[in-house]
């Protein structure tokens, strides 16, 4: 599934290696020396996006400097725009990419050069500027670009503004996009993804899922919607698909990670071996536990649930990640899960005393 986690770039340089090393120093003087010596500062740099669905591609030195947050290098390439015959195109791509980097100074610097808002950014899935400003919740620029942009634009991947704003961190931008007439809430991308799938993954504002439905989105069009919901820990979306009898796939392993839904949702609480607790995570896990146990009871799969949860390491795998869980609310989720399973199935698990 397409996750807009970031547009940060990993480099796998062959062509442009020497120039890339100079850009990494973020030093205008060293870049000037390179220009004086080599005479070419437009060497493409081979990169790979974090998104695993994307192919390796080349980017421009200006976009590389923006992607890696090198403002001095950005200024150098702007000051030497006369050396770049494709500056307008490169400028616009870098401008669009800059909204993913959260550096208003760089955005302002690029805007001063008059980027062409009719162009798109290959590194941003061929989106235009307002799509990426909306996606990353850059509110001032979203509203500045709105009267200047084609709000009905559809990318080469057949995505519209709704696909991008669905995961926005800005409720203000989301609410504004909902007022735009003519947007297709049931536009299917070339990868089979509808805007509502991205809304189900919004970890900032769970309400966007229901907002889309109110405005005409049909969740039943999205294949494997449950997987998107698990990705986003969206309690609103989880309740909706459960209440409406949509497919939930409680027992099917996640296609990418191999866990069942409950295990995956709980294990996502941990990043690089450290607990990252969020209130919506605990709420989501509690909701999922209730539904999973109800499903196990209805389907006569209590024994199977015990086996999956126990052997899958949902509990004991977590104990290896921290020494002290007593003060962490999400730990109560695990104890609650065991308690409810014990009541339902008559089983008992002996916990080490220190974890009571």
């Amino acid at each position: 599934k397409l996750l807009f986690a970031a547009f940060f770039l990993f480099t796998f340089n062959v062509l442009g290696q020497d120039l890339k090393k100079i850009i990494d120093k973020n030093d205008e003087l060293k870049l000037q020396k390179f220009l004086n010596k080599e005479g070419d500062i437009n060497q493409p740099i081979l990169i790979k996006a974090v998104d695993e669905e994307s192919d390796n591609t080349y980017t421009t030195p200006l976009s590389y400097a923006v992607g890696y947050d090198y403002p001095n290098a950005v200024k150098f390439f702007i000051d030497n725009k006369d050396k770049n015959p494709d500056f307008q195109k490169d400028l616009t791509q870098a401008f669009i990419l800059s909204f993913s980097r959260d550096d208003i100074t760089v955005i302002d610097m690029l805007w001063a050069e008059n980027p062409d808002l009719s162009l798109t950014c290959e590194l941003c899935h061929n989106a235009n500027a307002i799509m990426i400003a909306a996606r990353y919740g850059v509110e001032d620029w979203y509203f500045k670009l709105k009267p200047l942009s084609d709000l009905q634009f559809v990318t080469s991947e057949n995505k519209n503004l709704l696909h991008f704003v669905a995961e926005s961190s800005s409720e203000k931008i989301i609410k504004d996009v909902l007022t735009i007439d003519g947007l297709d809430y049931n536009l299917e991308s070339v990868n089979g993804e509808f805007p509502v799938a991205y809304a189900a993954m919004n970890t900032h504002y769970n309400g966007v899922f229901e907002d889309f439905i109110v405005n005409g989105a049909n969740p039943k069009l999205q294949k494997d919607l449950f997987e998107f919901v698990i990705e986003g820990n969206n309690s609103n979306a989880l309740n909706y698909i459960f209440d409406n009898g949509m497919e939930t796939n409680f027992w099917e392993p996640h296609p990418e990670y191999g866990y069942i839904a409950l295990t995956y949702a709980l294990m996502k609480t941990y990043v690089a071996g450290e607990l990252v607790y969020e209130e919506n995570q605990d709420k989501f896990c509690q909701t999922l536990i209730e539904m999973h146990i109800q499903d196990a009871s209805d389907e006569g799969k209590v024994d199977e649930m015990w086996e999956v949860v126990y052997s899958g390491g949902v509990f004991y795998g977590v104990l290896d990640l921290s020494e002290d869980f007593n003060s962490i609310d999400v730990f109560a989720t695990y104890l609650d899960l065991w308690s409810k399973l014990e009541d339902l199935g008559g089983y008992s698990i002996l916990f080490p005393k220190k974890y009571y």
Side-chain angles (χ1 to χ4, degrees):
K1 298 294 184 265
L2 179 59
L3 301 176
F4 291 93
F7 289 110
F8 188 77
L9 310 176
F10 287 104
T11 57
F12 294 83
N13 289 78
V14 178
L15 187 62
Q17 178 68 29
D18 292 339
L19 178 56
K20 178 261 178 187
K21 291 180 179 178
I22 302 300
I23 297 174
D24 286 343
K25 299 180 184 298
N26 195 30
D27 187 317
E28 292 183 70
L29 182 59
K30 287 182 171 59
L31 281 165
Q32 185 61 53
K33 290 181 178 179
F34 181 89
L35 174 60
N36 294 339
K37 179 181 178 181
E38 301 294 335
D40 182 11
I41 54 171
N42 300 309
Q43 301 171 19
I45 299 175
L46 181 63
I47 63 168
K48 181 180 180 180
V50 167
D51 173 13
E52 294 181 357
E53 294 186 5
S54 298
D55 297 325
N56 289 5
T57 186
Y58 289 95
T59 192
T60 66
L62 179 56
S63 286
Y64 176 78
V66 169
Y68 265 108
D69 304 318
Y70 297 139
N72 294 334
V74 171
K75 183 177 182 300
F76 173 82
F77 289 118
I78 290 175
D79 290 343
N80 289 274
K81 59 187 176 184
D82 60 313
K83 309 292 193 306
N84 183 357
D86 296 318
F87 179 74
Q88 188 65 36
K89 178 182 178 181
D90 294 352
L91 166 70
T92 302
Q93 176 163 283
F95 175 67
I96 297 172
L97 181 65
S98 68
F99 291 115
S100 71
R101 307 310 304 151
D102 194 27
D103 188 335
I104 298 300
T105 300
V106 169
I107 295 174
D108 289 342
M109 195 187 309
L110 295 167
W111 177 252
E113 299 301 315
N114 299 312
D116 185 349
L117 297 183
S118 69
L119 300 179
T120 62
C121 175
E122 294 178 4
L123 295 175
C124 303
H125 301 279
N126 296 305
N128 62 15
I130 197 168
M131 286 174 166
I132 304 305
R135 164 63 185 86
Y136 284 93
V138 189
E139 293 180 353
D140 290 347
W141 275 98
Y142 166 81
F143 288 102
K144 185 173 183 176
L145 292 171
K146 184 180 177 183
L148 306 172
S149 303
D150 178 5
L151 304 180
Q152 306 296 329
F153 175 72
V154 175
T155 72
S156 59
E157 297 179 9
N158 211 43
K159 296 176 182 175
N160 60 16
L161 181 58
L162 292 168
H163 284 87
F164 291 86
V165 78
E167 283 191 279
S168 180
S169 59
S170 169
E171 183 178 348
K172 184 177 180 180
I173 292 178
I174 292 172
K175 294 296 187 183
D176 185 78
V177 170
L178 293 174
T179 69
I180 298 174
D181 294 330
L183 294 175
D184 185 354
Y185 284 80
N186 294 308
L187 180 66
E188 183 178 10
S189 74
V190 294
N191 293 323
E193 294 158 344
F194 295 85
V196 73
Y198 295 101
M201 293 192 293
N202 193 312
T203 60
H204 307 284
Y205 170 51
N206 279 188
V208 65
F209 182 81
E210 293 172 324
D211 288 343
F212 275 27
I213 293 174
V214 169
N215 281 272
N218 181 1
K220 294 183 178 181
L221 294 176
Q222 181 62 60
K223 181 182 178 182
D224 299 327
L225 179 61
F226 186 63
E227 293 176 12
F228 289 93
V229 174
I230 298 300
E231 293 275 2
N233 305 326
N234 191 317
S235 299
N236 291 18
L238 183 62
N239 281 315
Y240 180 90
I241 65 174
F242 194 75
D243 292 343
N244 287 273
M246 297 176 64
E247 186 177 3
T248 48
N249 298 323
F250 282 115
W251 304 97
E252 290 295 323
H254 188 279
E256 182 176 355
Y257 302 100
Y259 299 119
I260 65 165
L262 178 61
T263 310
Y264 179 57
L266 290 169
M267 295 301 287
K268 277 180 60 182
T269 311
Y270 304 89
V271 178
E274 296 186 3
L275 184 68
V276 180
Y277 173 72
E278 296 181 0
E279 183 177 354
N280 72 313
Q281 175 79 37
D282 186 56
K283 179 182 177 182
F284 180 83
C285 289
Q286 291 284 1
T287 302
L288 188 57
I289 283 172
E290 295 285 350
M291 293 179 178
H292 209 314
I293 290 178
Q294 183 62 53
D295 183 77
S297 179
D298 292 344
E299 299 296 326
K301 292 185 176 181
V302 177
D303 289 352
E304 288 90 335
M305 188 170 184
W306 267 112
E307 179 65 26
V308 169
V309 172
Y310 182 72
S311 65
V314 178
F315 185 83
Y316 287 103
V318 165
L319 296 184
D320 293 335
L321 300 177
S322 175
E323 290 298 322
D324 181 16
F325 280 80
N326 293 323
S327 62
I328 298 171
D329 291 341
V330 77
F331 182 60
T333 298
Y334 289 85
L335 295 180
D336 184 58
L337 168 59
W338 249 258
S339 175
K340 288 174 179 175
L341 280 174
E342 287 175 356
D343 292 341
L344 189 62
Y347 291 85
S348 179
I349 295 292
L350 296 178
F351 301 116
K353 184 69 175 177
K354 66 177 180 178
Y355 295 125
Y356 269 59

